[in-house]
Amino acid sequence: DADVTQTPRNRITKTGKRIMLECSQTKGHDRMYWYRQDPGLGLRLIYYSFDVKDINKGEISDGYSVSRQAQAKFSLSLESAIPNQTALYFCATGTGNSNQPQHFGDGTRLSIL
Amino acid sequence: AQSVTQLGSHVSVSEGALVLLRCNYSSSVPPYLFWYVQYPNQGLQLLLKYTSAATLVKGINGFEAEFKKSETSFHLTKPSAHMSDAAEYFCAVSDLRGSNYKLTFGKGTLLTVNP
């Protein structure tokens, strides 16, 4: 089984709909992250959480919200989806040590029509 | 703020040729640096990391990278490309300020390997 699991893997929806992307992990890491990947732009940080009670905005948080339901679960919501939120979304986990890598899920491909 | 520049959004090599993917960073303190690889329809996998122990770092699949402080570079190399190396590669720098550990990624380099 994957250490970092994202659901769904693919989603097509319409403008204005509320979308939730879910992430769960079995690595036991405290820190969880949501990134967005767009062609030619690399990965950009949306939100990150250091523990259940600690949520922080990343560089592109507008239009998104998150919930850390448990140490192992971190969900990303688009309250009212718009077409320019069409992208590949990744969840990642990490330890508290900056010399350690983050571990990524396989991504959710989201298309908003 | 820290930043990463990957020179060349697309690199094409022949099978058996040298692979060189360039990464330059900006940081006010000695950074930790990472190279990740992304195969189609998959997440990012760690190739190798620099954490100040040694300037020449060896990773998986025959890749290595050399940290050069004077050039603020961390280029990724592989002596002989294989078809299976075709993927997108990302360089990332770790933000060391306080305990707010975040990664800043470059925009990626797509590697194509021609037979």
Side-chain angles (χ1 to χ4, degrees):
Chain A
D1 290 339
D3 294 322
V4 183
T5 303
Q6 293 184 234
T7 56
R9 291 294 314 278
N10 294 280
R11 179 79 184 270
I12 300 174
T13 191
K14 295 181 179 180
T15 297
K17 294 292 187 180
R18 184 178 187 273
I19 312 291
M20 179 180 286
L21 309 183
E22 299 190 8
C23 177
S24 63
Q25 54 120 341
T26 58
K27 297 196 70 68
H29 290 161
D30 290 330
R31 302 188 177 198
M32 299 187 73
Y33 306 81
W34 276 105
Y35 292 91
R36 169 178 172 160
Q37 183 182 15
D38 297 277
L41 297 181
L43 275 76
R44 293 179 292 167
L45 184 62
I46 306 173
Y47 270 96
Y48 59 104
S49 169
F50 288 166
D51 63 40
V52 174
K53 297 180 181 180
D54 184 355
I55 304 290
N56 303 278
K57 293 183 177 180
E59 59 181 298
I60 55 163
S61 60
D62 288 348
Y64 301 95
S65 62
V66 291
S67 174
R68 185 84 182 265
Q69 302 93 326
Q71 188 209 32
K73 297 183 181 296
F74 192 38
S75 60
L76 175 72
S77 294
L78 288 67
E79 296 301 326
S80 180
I82 56 177
N84 74 2
Q85 291 177 312
T86 293
L88 185 55
Y89 290 84
F90 286 104
C91 175
T93 71
T95 70
N97 297 320
S98 55
N99 63 354
Q100 296 300 312
Q102 292 179 10
H103 299 265
F104 287 80
D106 285 338
T108 294
R109 187 170 297 280
L110 179 61
S111 297
I112 300 165
L113 306 179
Chain B
Q2 301 193 343
S3 66
V4 175
T5 301
Q6 291 184 239
L7 186 62
S9 59
H10 188 193
V11 170
S12 182
V13 301
S14 298
E15 192 172 19
L18 171 71
V19 175
L20 171 60
L21 305 182
R22 300 178 187 272
C23 172
N24 288 88
Y25 68 91
S26 68
S27 174
S28 59
V29 298
Y32 296 143
L33 294 156
F34 304 84
W35 274 102
Y36 285 86
V37 60
Q38 183 183 27
Y39 299 105
N41 299 314
Q42 294 185 25
L44 278 69
Q45 301 174 27
L46 180 70
L47 267 180
L48 49 79
K49 64 178 182 180
Y50 167 75
T51 57
S52 75
T55 57
L56 183 62
V57 182
K58 294 187 183 298
I60 62 172
N61 301 337
F63 283 92
E64 62 182 37
E66 186 172 9
F67 173 72
K68 293 187 177 180
K69 183 179 178 181
S70 61
E71 299 178 6
T72 61
S73 69
F74 189 56
H75 301 331
L76 182 71
T77 60
K78 181 174 181 178
S80 177
H82 191 273
M83 296 295 290
S84 61
D85 295 326
E88 190 157 22
Y89 293 79
F90 293 93
C91 182
V93 61
S94 177
D95 186 337
L96 299 180
R97 288 170 292 178
S99 62
N100 291 334
Y101 162 37
K102 300 195 298 285
L103 284 180
T104 299
F105 286 87
K107 294 183 178 181
T109 298
L110 181 64
L111 175 66
T112 301
V113 182
N114 303 307

